[in-house]
Structures are given as structure tokens and as C-alpha cells.
Amino acid sequence: MPATSQQQVGSRGRCAALLLPLLLLSVAPRPGNATLNIPSKYKIRDLKSPPVITAQPVSVTTFSSDDITLTCEATGNPPPTFRWVKDGVEFDPSKDPELSVSRDSGTFSLTAKDGPIHQYQGRYNCYASNHLGTAVSNEARIVTENTPTLQKEKKVSKKVEEGESVVLPCNPPNSTVAPVIHWMDKKLRHIQQNDRVIQGRDGNLYFSHVTVADSRDDYTCNTQFPSARIIVLKEPIKLTVVPSNSVVRNRRPQMMRPTGSRSSYLVLSGQNLELECIVMGLPSPKIQWIRKDGVLSESRTSKDSYDRVLRFKNISESDSGEYQCTASNLQGIITHTYSITVEAAPYWTKEPKSQLYSPGETVKLECKADGIPSPEVTWSINGDLLTDIDPDPRRSLKHGVLTLKNVELSDTAVYQCKAVNKHGSILINAYVYVIELPPQILTEDVLMYSVAEGQMIELACETFGSPRPNVTWEGETWGALAANPRMRQLLDGSLQISNASLNDSGQYTCTVSNSKITITAELDVLNKTVIVKPPLALRIQRGKPATLTCEYQVDSRQDAPQVQWRKNGQKLTESSDSDKYMLDESTLIIPDVKEEDEGIYTCEVITTLDIAEARGSITIVDRPDPPTQIQITEPKDRSVTLSWTPGDDHNSPVLEYLIEFEETEYERKEWEELSRVSGNNQRTTLSLKPFLSYRFRVIAINDIGKSDPSMYTDVFSTPAAPPDSNPEGVRSDSIDPGTLLITWKEMDRRSFNGPGFEYKVMWRKVLGSGPSWHNKSIKSPPLIVTDVDNFSAFDIKVQAVNEMGEGPEPKSTIGYSGEDYPLEAPLNLAVEPINSTAIEVVWASINRETVRGRLQGYKIYLMYYGPVSRREHFREGKPSNISFVVTDSNEEKKILGDLLPYSHYALSVSVINNKGEGPQSDPLTFRTPEGVPGPPSSLLLDSPSETEMTLHWTPPTQPNGVLKGYTLRYQQVDKKDSSMQIEKNFDHAVSHVSLKLDPHSRYRFYLRGYTAKGEGLPIIREGATTLVGVPPSNISLSTGETSVNLTWVSKERQRNVGFFIHYLKKDGKGTWKHSERVNSSQSFYTLQGLQSGSEYRLKIDFKNKTLWEDEIQTEGAKVMMVRKGFVTESWFIGLISALVLLLLVLLILCFIKRSKGGKYSVKEKEEGQIDSEARPMNNEGFGEYRSLESDNEEKRTASQPSLCEDSKLCTDDALDDYANSNSMQTEVIMDESLASQCSGVRDVPDPGTQESSPLNPATAISHHGLPNSAALLD
């Protein structure tokens, strides 16, 4: 069903006055057997409920050392009370001091003790009751057993001969609980079992045959009872195997367990069963299991204990039957048959359900059970047998179905169904709760429903109550129900509208009958989704791409739809085969179509309200398969019939068949087309030519292409015959004078029709030769006849001839002998000027006899000698250019155009025939008239000021006459309707002119030259005057640490102007500085020399005015300002001075040491024990000078320490650090007065321009105006 949309807009059902019903629908009475299920949305307090047992008691087998617990738990409202029945008699566990009873349930338990517990053995049932009924539990058994004990046994000893079989008995204690048995030795190691030694299910240890190695005296059977948590150790058994004096004799198989040839087993369905097949024999027999009455199921059975056990797990009734164990060895075979009977304890096939019902309804409780044998089913009410209760006419029991008609509140009870057979019993409770509940509408009020046109929609009006409430529907725009069959009310109260239309939109009201409970629903019907361009039925060749489109139209109120493609009903996704399908919105693309892509493709446009779908298809088409069974029938001299069987057309019908042939006796064997027939034909008659050997093949053609060729036929040869035709294209191609050359188009060799083919050529002169023909036979054209007149007419014809005869009589044609060159040139040559660039040439007709051939026309030679102003070319008789024009044979005059005005020319004329060109006539000279000049060669614009423009030009390259002068026109191009200004009559010698113009306008200039014939073409230029330049004001800034980049765009038409960029540091000190001279045309400038982390003011002044101003801050760390503090105190100044003096003395000593290369030792004095650093610094503190060489030989004593040894200041690294102390970043805070006193310098030079030396006073100044020595006192 298409999805519908609903939205909550209001609250739950409400009470309101009924509207005037335009549409009134009510629910029909419902059947009387419907049950009640209280919805979660139904609001009710403290709903009573009958008891339901949630935890059943479980049967248990127990020993005196075990705890006993019978569980019985139930729910209900009010909470149920519990009681027990043991063996049909009331049993109160609370009265037994040995039992403890749960307070909130019927569960009781017994704690393990040493005393007897047999009094608790029996069958128990638990009853849970409240005022709505009584529920009964399943029956649970308590079976009590004594703890297994070890009985006195005699020691067993067995003595057997090697090769015999033996059984070691276990005899475990009797118990209903099966023990776990282990055969071990005295060291509690398991006896190794194999196909010869097997433990049976009875606990005994079976030896198929014994060996000497089986002798031992500690075969012990250990019996374990896990539930009793005890192990019973049996007496060890001694087995003695007597070696045989001779070779051990083989023994045939015999059954050890079970005995005999047959055994029977009764087992309950669902239990496990093990069939044993333990046999004796030597060698150990092999075991094989089969099912005699069927196939042994490998999935339901398994084999164990070296195939001695066949195990059934969860056996079923289908396993009933006969099974056979076959044991075999070299001595024989023995079999045993097992008859299995599977029965079943009762089990339910139909269970009654606990339900709620309204008064007056009919209740049916169906209870069915099965089992083997079939169980007996009985009913109880609240634990009392139905047979013990007074009969009620409203109650009946038939075929296991308990029916209660017209139920009342008093019929509320818990009903028990019990099934019993010899294997056990089962019991199930089902309550019937007859209840009255007030009606409620559970559907939210004012729900919005949306549906697409043509779909079905259900307006919900879910109600609940007991008895079930009836509802009615009202609408705004509809008439009676009978007038609108598309609307009907469902049993659950919903209003179903089929095939919704746009007119169904509106408000609908649902009301509970006989109450004021009501809700409304709003229905909005949207336009249905339509596929406007469905996918097509494509016929695609494999390997080609296929594109299926699916264009759709969706109501604008809906969300974007999902487009789902299916192939033969299966969904297609892009991830299903990434190389196969490409999905792009509403398009499916298969880049490489294969056979498996053939099928029906469905496009589904899925919205939240409806689905539109359309189908297309892809059919794989291909070239047809070649035809088969090509046969030749009905052979004749010049025809044959060809038939064939069509091949597979691959979904594209055959349009036509192509019949090809091959000549087998021709050197160049190639297949050629002979005929084409329609695709619905399978035979055709072929016309053949004589004296040829054919073989044929057939090709089928469909829309995709041609098939491969079929197999070719056997060779078919036609007999010889006279030629059927004569050659075509007979003509005379005579070239040389006095000869007649006869030629024709050679006939195809297939037209020879026989052997000895030749051409019979015949000719005669048209005039004066009479009716006689000259002839000659040749193999191929042409034929040349000599000693004939020039350009004479002949009748000529050619006939085909072979050994079988001549061809048909040929038709004759006229041909001419060869031509010679013309003898004379045309006479009376004249020239008539038409204009300055065109003339008409005229000449007299030629004598045809002098042509000596067919007149083809005349050839006019035109020679150009240059303009009139350059007469030297004409006088020298050397034309600078020669051209020619060819006329028709019937022309005796010709107009020549495209001449240059005012130029010298000459021309001559000759005659042309097929042989060639005759002599030229004498040259005729002439001069073309004057014309208008071409445009000036150049025009340059120059603006010396804002209001003046100067134009410079050069003369035209083609004056076409005598240049008289120039005409200038110009107008403003940026103003509409501006008039054209004209400056005339510039002399031809003038090459420039100056104009006064508007500085705010742009002009277009037209300059023309003129002759006596008028003005020529203009040269056109545009331009404007140049304005006075000013520095830029639209400047962009980009700052660095010590520089700033300024960029601007130069203005058009402005002259270049120089300016300065002024800058001032914003710290309250200093003066304005300026950059070098900058040109406005640069568009870029970098202002350098600034301090990092500082603020500056920038400006540009021009003509005592500030044109531009801005502020910047350079990047990088700001130089710290010296702040006032305790550094101005006298004590601090004195301390700093002393430290500086001490440091300088130490530095001097170190430099002396480094420069001399020696050491200074301190003289030993009385106060030598005193620390040298505590002594005053005076000259007595220095020792003798010693050379570096002596120091290298002499060790320094402890009483003469070197000053440099105690101080790190004298190390090379320390000196280097000191020399580069400008890089040290130690800060000392001093006020401005102290800084000025210590520095002694006002203008600090750039540290980068000074030599880096500790003795250079200029470099002894730190970045803060302090000596570097002070910076070392950090």
C-alpha cells in the first residue's frame, strides 16, 4: 500500500457539538467473538487482572544431603494467594517446621539435613488465586533416594587363556540416577579402551579377546553419582591371561551385549538413545550399522566407541523402525537386530490464550494435544474439573473447544486444560476476563494527512472500550455514503478513502456514538507523481553503452523523490557492481552492455506518498549468424538457383541477403557482389555470364551489420558464347598532325564470353572515301592510322569478336585526325577605355583555315609598365607584371577590369586550338585615366597641451593620379549628435596640422587625399588631448618589518609627474623625511629604512597641498622603550659603574694574554691562602710574564692559578660572545637621563654599518643606548 503522511497538530480526542453531517458513516456491529487487547495508549487506573503463574515448580530427584526447593510464582491484581496439593491432598508447607516458605510467592524449600526426607516424596501442584480466578501449576515430583553406599564384595579373580573373551563386572549400586562409571587402575589411570576393550552402558568392561598384556590385578570400577557428590570405589579385579602353548586360534564373532539376535527398545520422543553392539572375536570384528526399513540418516545419528555404539540425539517418531549391527572378521559374520519404538509424552498442538472480553461476546478456548499414545484432554475452571461443576447452557465442549456464549462478568475465571497419557501429563492455564471499560478515542486530535491523487488513505480513529464503542464520521463536502462508493468505514473505526481526488481535501470528524468524544482530521490531497519521459525499449549491441532516462513530475509540496531502478524486479544500486551501473539522478547508464544486461528495466519514482513506475527494456542485438546449407539447383547456360537456411538473427530481423561470387580460374581471386534479395527469401535465381567458373556464398544483413560469410558452394562453370556487346566510348584522341588515333573503353574480361577475344576496328573518311571501310583486329586500344590529312573527319566503329563469333553490329561515330599549331594572330586589335580601372579589347575574326584545328578561344596578354609618373619602365620596354585572360571560341571582344588608374599598359592576342597557342599579335600600348587616391600611408596624433592636438601624416602609397592635397574631418565620439568638423584644402606638400580641441572629449579623425577625380579613401584614428599629471591618491599599502609597499593605478591621458613620499615616526620625536623622487607612471614603490613594530604617518604633497595621507604600523617586534625606575638612584648608578670598570679591566687582561701568547701567574704572598677573587684589583696582583713555550714545559702549580682559569671571560668562546654582544638580548631597565649619561652618544649609528669589535666605541652601544658591558651584567 502506498505510504501516507500524517502529522499531529492538536491534542487527543475532545468533546464538541456534532457538526451538521454532510457525510455520516458509522461502524457496523462487530462479530461477537472478538477479544480485547488494551492498547498502551488507553488510560486506566488500577486495572484488575486474574492470576498468571510465572515460575513453575520442577520435578527433582534428591538425596538426603541435598536441598529441596519447589518454586511457584504468579502475578495478578490483587496479588494472588498460594496453596499446595500433594498427591491430591491439601498440603500446607507453612505448618511444617522443617520447611521455609517465601513471603511473596508459594515457593517453599527444605535445607539439607541428616534426617530422613522420604516423607516429602510425592506429586505436587501449586494453586494461585485472587477474586478473578485460580491458576494451577504443572505437576512436580519429588523423588527421594538414599545415598549410595559401598556394599561388601568378594574379591574377584579371573583366569583365562590368551585369545578368549572376558567380561569384568562392575555392579554399581542401584539408583534411579544413572551413575558415571570409570575403569581405572590403582594409580587412578584410566584403562585404555579400543576396538578390543570396550566399556558397556551397564558399566562392565568387555574384552573381545585378551592378550597376555591384559594381565593385571588392579582393574577397578569407580562409580560416581554427581548429584549426590559421592564416588563409590569397587574392589579391584585380578585378571590373569594364560599364554597359549601354540598359535592362538582365531574365533568367529559372537554377541556379548546385547545377547541373542534381536532386542527391543521403547524411547520417548526428544530423548537420546544409544544402541550397543559389543562382540567377541579374534581378530577384533569390524562393526557396520544399517537401517533395515530405510536409509540410516547420517545427520540424525552418530557413531561412537569405535563404532560399537549408534547414538540417536533428540530422537523423533520418524526414527522408529529396525536397525541392524553387523560384526565381521576373517572367521565369519554375526548380526543383531534392534527394534525401536518411539512414543511421546503429551505435547500441545493448540493452546488456549488468555484474553479480555466484553460482556455479551462469545468465547472459544481451543485446546488440542498429541502424544503416543494419544492423551486424554480434560478441562477445569479455577482448578475444579468441569465435570464437577454444575452445567450451564451457555457453556459447551466439542472437539476440544470450550465455548462460552453471551459471557457475563461472572464468567471471569482461569480455565485449565490438561492432557494425560501413560508417559506423563501437561497443563496450561488460560483466563477469560469479562470486563467493562469506558470508551476512549486513542488517535491524536487534529492530525494532518497527506495522500497523492489516485491513492488510498485511511483516516485513523482508533477507539477502545468495553463494550466496544461505535464511531461515526462526518465530512465537509460529501453527500451520503451511498453517493460515494470510494469511502467506507473499517472495523477499527478508520475511514478508508479509495482513489483519492483533489476534491477530497478538507476536514473530517470522528465521533463516538452516544457521547461527546470527538476528533478531527485534515486531509490534503496532492497531485500524483507522473513519469513524463519513461525509459525506452533499447536495442543495443553488446559492448556499446546504454542509457535509460526517467524524467518525472512531482508535486511541489513533496520532498525530492528517490529514483529506484530495478532489473527484472531486482533492485539496482551503484555499489552492487561499481563497474556495471552508473546512476545519475534519473538516468541509468550501462557503459558496457553484456548478455546478462538484457531484460526489463523498471524506473520507480518513490515519494513519501506514492510511487510512479515505468518500464523500458534492453534487448541485446547483434549481427546475424551466417546462413547454412547453401545449395545450387536448376543449373542452366546463363543462370542457376541458389538456396540457403537462415542463421540466428540475434533479435534483429534479417533485412536482406547478399549473394557474392568468386571466379576460381582468375588469378586475383576475390569475392564480389552478385545479387541482393529481401530478408524473407531463402532462394533466388542468379543471372550468369558465359565462359566463367563460379562459386557462391551468402551473407545475411540486419540493422546491426553483416554476418560472417557462409560456406562457399562447389564450382559451377558456364559454356562459351559470342560476345553480347561491343566496347563503349569509341572516339578519336588524335594529337599528332597527320595521324588518326582511335581508342575506346576496354571491355571487362567477363564480357569476352569465350576464348580468342579481339577488337575489330573499322574507319573511313567522311568526305570522298566512299562506302568502303578499312578494318584491323587488335587485342587492346588504341589503333593509330598514319598518312592522313590534318583535322579531317572520319567514321569510326569497334566490334567485339571471339572464337565463337562476332558481337552485334556496332554504331559508328565521327572522329578527327590530329591538329597543328595556329598560323596567324588576330588582326585589327583596339582598346576602348571604360573608366580608370577597366577597358574593352576588340579584334577581328580569324580565318578558320589558319587555325589548323578546333578553335578553343583567344589568349589576351596584359603587360603593366607602372604609373604615368614613372615613365622609365615604359621607355625601357620591360613590364613589371604580365597577366593573361583566355576567352571562348566565339568571343571577339573582352572587358578587362581591376586595372590601376593613371598607369601604362600594353596588350597582345593569340589564337588557341587543341594543339596549342599560335603567334601573338603586335603589342598595343595604352594609358588608364586618372582616379581617386588611396588612403594616406600613416596618421600620428600628438598632444603638446590639454587643448591642442597635432596630426602628422604621410602621402598615399597609391596616388592614382596627380595628388592635389588633403581633406581633414573630425568629430567628438563621446558626445551624441556632435557635428563633423571639416578642415579643407591642405596642399599636397603639407604633412601636419595643429587643432584646438576640448580637453574633456575624445575625437575621431578622417584624413583623405584628393586628385582631379575627387577624394579617396580615408585613414581613421581616434585620440584625445593629454591632461596635466598629478601624483596618485588611490594608493594600496602592504607593510613589512622595515619597509612598506605602495601600489597605485596610473590615470589615463595624464602626463608623467614626479613626487616625494613623506613619512614621520609617530613617537612624538623626529622630523618628516621623504623618499627619493617617484614617477606617477611607476605604479609601484617600496619605502625602506623603517623600524620594525613602529607606527608611521605617510603623505604626498603636491603644489603645497596634501593630496594623500595614511598611517601604517610595520610588522615585527617593537623596540622596547626605556622606562623610569630605580635605575635613576645614585646607588644603582655607582654599582653599574663599578661593574663596568671591573669588566673592562678583565677584558684588557684577556686581550693582552691572547695577543702575547703567554700566561700571567699570581705571585705567592703571605695572603696566598685568601681567595683571589676577594683581593683588590691592583698591579701587585699580577705575576711575571712567561713565554708560551716555557709554560708548555712547566706545569702550573696550585699556588699560582691563572686568572683565565678562574674566569670564563678569557675563554675563546667568551671572547667571541663578547665581540658579538650586539646579538645579546639581555634587557636593563634605565630611565632616559641615565641612559644618556651612560651612552654619551645622541645619534646612534646603524650597528650593521660598523665593524664588530669590542674596542670600537661605536659598537659598544647596545640597542637600548647602554654599553654592551652593562648588558653582560644580567
Side-chain angles (χ1 to χ4, degrees), residues 817-972:
S817 58
E819 302 179 17
D820 204 349
Y821 294 103
L823 291 175
E824 297 180 355
L827 302 175
N828 301 329
L829 186 65
V831 173
E832 182 68 31
I834 298 176
N835 53 39
S836 61
T837 61
I839 61 171
E840 184 179 39
V841 184
V842 182
W843 59 91
S845 59
I846 192 72
N847 183 1
R848 293 301 178 106
E849 293 182 359
T850 65
V851 177
R852 298 199 297 181
R854 189 182 301 277
L855 179 63
Q856 297 296 323
Y858 301 91
K859 191 173 185 179
I860 304 173
Y861 288 89
L862 180 65
M863 293 155 280
Y864 174 69
Y865 288 89
V868 175
S869 59
R870 299 169 61 187
R871 299 181 181 179
E872 60 275 7
H873 289 282
F874 183 67
R875 290 174 183 172
E876 295 175 359
K878 295 180 180 180
S880 59
N881 184 33
I882 299 176
S883 59
F884 62 86
V885 176
V886 178
T887 69
D888 292 337
S889 60
N890 56 357
E891 288 186 288
E892 294 179 353
K893 61 181 178 179
K894 188 72 173 181
I895 295 177
L896 304 180
D898 293 332
L899 306 182
L900 296 178
Y902 204 55
S903 300
H904 286 292
Y905 285 92
L907 58 83
S908 61
V909 183
S910 63
V911 180
I912 303 174
N913 63 11
N914 288 327
K915 183 65 175 177
E917 180 183 349
Q920 297 182 15
S921 65
D922 295 333
L924 176 65
T925 61
F926 65 95
R927 187 179 74 177
T928 54
E930 192 175 8
V932 298
S937 300
S938 65
L939 177 60
L940 301 178
L941 307 181
D942 182 30
S943 176
S945 67
E946 293 186 354
T947 60
E948 186 177 358
M949 179 71 76
T950 300
L951 285 70
H952 301 267
W953 64 83
T954 55
T957 56
Q958 296 178 352
N960 295 339
V962 179
L963 187 64
K964 300 292 186 181
Y966 300 92
T967 301
L968 174 66
R969 295 179 175 85
Y970 62 93
Q971 68 178 138
Q972 295 170 304

Side-chain angles (χ1 to χ4, degrees), residues 109-127:
S109 59
L110 172 67
T111 304
K113 60 179 182 177
D114 295 334
I117 60 173
H118 295 291
Q119 66 272 23
Y120 298 109
Q121 180 167 309
R123 302 176 184 271
Y124 292 82
N125 288 95
C126 174
Y127 293 76

Side-chain angles (χ1 to χ4, degrees), residues 467-482:
R468 298 179 183 273
N470 293 332
V471 299
T472 57
W473 279 93
E474 300 172 353
E476 291 180 331
T477 59
W478 292 101
L481 176 61

Side-chain angles (χ1 to χ4, degrees), residues 729-745 761-764 778 780-798 813-819 915:
V730 178
R731 66 192 184 277
S732 171
D733 286 345
S734 303
I735 298 176
D736 298 329
T739 62
L740 175 65
L741 187 148
I742 303 173
T743 188
W744 57 91
K745 183 179 178 182
V761 184
M762 294 167 281
W763 70 95
R764 69 182 178 183
I778 60 175
S780 62
L783 173 65
I784 300 176
V785 181
T786 58
D787 298 330
V788 295
D789 295 335
N790 293 330
F791 198 61
S792 298
F794 288 85
D795 281 330
I796 56 176
K797 58 183 179 180
V798 181
T813 185
I814 301 297
Y816 289 86
S817 58
E819 302 179 17
K915 183 65 175 177

Side-chain angles (χ1 to χ4, degrees), residues 996-1026:
K996 294 294 184 180
L997 303 177
D998 183 358
H1000 303 294
S1001 296
R1002 187 172 183 84
Y1003 290 84
R1004 182 180 293 117
F1005 301 93
Y1006 304 86
L1007 182 65
R1008 293 177 172 88
Y1010 65 89
T1011 63
K1013 287 294 184 179
E1015 295 181 353
L1017 296 175
I1019 183 172
I1020 304 173
R1021 295 288 186 270
E1022 284 191 12
T1025 59
T1026 304

Side-chain angles (χ1 to χ4, degrees), residues 71 78 429 434 627 754 953 958 1014 1183:
T71 302
N429 294 276
V434 184
W953 64 83
Q958 296 178 352

Side-chain angles (χ1 to χ4, degrees), residues 1060-1073:
F1060 296 95
I1061 301 172
H1062 300 267
Y1063 60 96
L1064 174 65
K1065 187 176 180 182
K1066 291 181 61 180
D1067 56 358
K1069 298 180 181 181
T1071 60
W1072 283 94
K1073 299 180 182 179

